[in-house]
Amino acid sequence: MAEFTAKDVAALRQKTGAGMMDCKDALSETGGDEEKALELLKVKMGKKLGKLAAREAAEGTVQSYIHATGKVGVLVEVDCNTDFVARNEDFIAFAKDVAMHVAASPTVKYVNVEDVPQDEKDAELRVFVQQAEAEGKPENIREKIATGKLNKWLEEIVLVKQVHVNADKHESKTIEQIREQLSVTTGENVVVRRFERFAVGE
């Protein structure tokens, strides 16, 4: 008889979103080994486990970063599906890394591209089209040049599009790529919900 408790079953259910009986069976088959049970559930349930991404991310953590000078501070909220993952060390470390990145990135204003107001994007695009015109670029490629510049501008102001400031640690991955990797590792919908950057004199 495999040795595991009802608490182990509940923990596996929180981590995967799978049913209680599925979790119990998986633990029975793997002799109570949670990691092996998790792998077994991924094989058995396949895409069903992926549906966690559609679940509301109602759990999470708020982490902070204060620069050594004491003149810049950041608060970040990162959410997930379960309290189990909200207490996960990697999840908390990710939130802290995001806070540190925001502290070092004074140009960042929004979490996602969808958060940037359309009128703001339209205004920037018009400026870039006018610049291309002033530079004497052919009319048929002005829009393409302007769109390229708009994407560059979005990289400056949108958090998830930025390469993390600690490029060595994160292998030059963007915040979005790091978030996706964590989402796969935890099996949950990881969401950078919001951030606030405070700087003395601003």
Side-chain angles (χ1 to χ4, degrees):
M1 181 93 180
E3 293 213 5
F4 60 88
T5 64
K7 193 176 178 183
D8 296 329
V9 176
L12 187 60
R13 184 172 186 267
Q14 269 199 311
K15 199 169 188 179
T16 63
M20 288 296 264
M21 285 310 297
D22 291 319
C23 293
K24 190 175 179 181
D25 290 345
L27 284 166
S28 293
E29 284 185 50
T30 57
D33 187 312
E34 188 186 354
E35 288 305 314
K36 286 181 182 175
L38 184 57
E39 285 175 26
L40 185 64
L41 281 170
K42 282 181 180 175
V43 171
K44 279 187 172 181
M45 299 184 71
K47 290 180 181 176
K48 286 184 184 175
L49 282 187
K51 287 180 181 175
L52 274 168
R55 283 172 53 191
E56 184 186 358
E59 292 291 344
T61 185
V62 173
Q63 295 295 327
S64 63
Y65 176 83
I66 308 292
H67 192 269
T69 61
K71 294 186 182 294
V72 176
V74 173
L75 283 175
V76 167
E77 179 185 347
V78 180
D79 295 342
C80 57
N81 300 123
T82 65
D83 185 50
F84 182 85
V85 166
R87 298 192 305 269
N88 177 287
E89 285 181 11
D90 291 339
F91 180 80
I92 292 168
F94 169 69
K96 287 180 175 178
D97 275 348
V98 171
M100 186 187 81
H101 176 87
V102 172
S105 308
T107 60
V108 70
K109 290 170 66 180
Y110 304 100
V111 175
N112 300 293
V113 172
E114 298 76 28
D115 300 330
V116 183
Q118 191 59 47
D119 58 351
E120 203 172 321
K121 285 188 272 192
D122 291 343
E124 288 294 325
L125 189 62
R126 283 195 299 272
V127 169
F128 294 138
V129 169
Q130 288 165 10
Q131 284 176 351
E133 187 180 352
E135 289 165 7
K137 303 293 183 188
E139 194 172 342
N140 62 327
I141 64 164
R142 284 175 197 163
E143 196 74 31
K144 189 177 178 182
I145 292 169
T147 301
K149 285 186 175 182
L150 182 70
N151 286 330
K152 273 286 182 194
W153 173 73
L154 287 170
E155 284 175 18
E156 289 176 13
I157 67 166
V158 175
L159 177 65
V160 297
K161 289 177 77 71
Q162 297 185 344
V163 172
H164 194 280
V165 289
N166 193 339
D168 290 342
K169 178 183 175 182
H170 294 289
E171 301 171 335
S172 297
K173 289 186 174 77
T174 63
I175 302 294
E176 176 60 14
Q177 288 170 325
I178 301 166
R179 185 205 65 77
E180 281 179 352
Q181 194 173 18
L182 181 62
S183 200
V184 169
T185 305
T186 60
E188 293 206 0
N189 182 20
V190 175
V191 178
V192 181
R193 186 71 64 195
R194 54 186 168 161
F195 65 84
E196 197 68 52
R197 187 178 188 276
F198 303 88
V200 174
E202 284 186 13

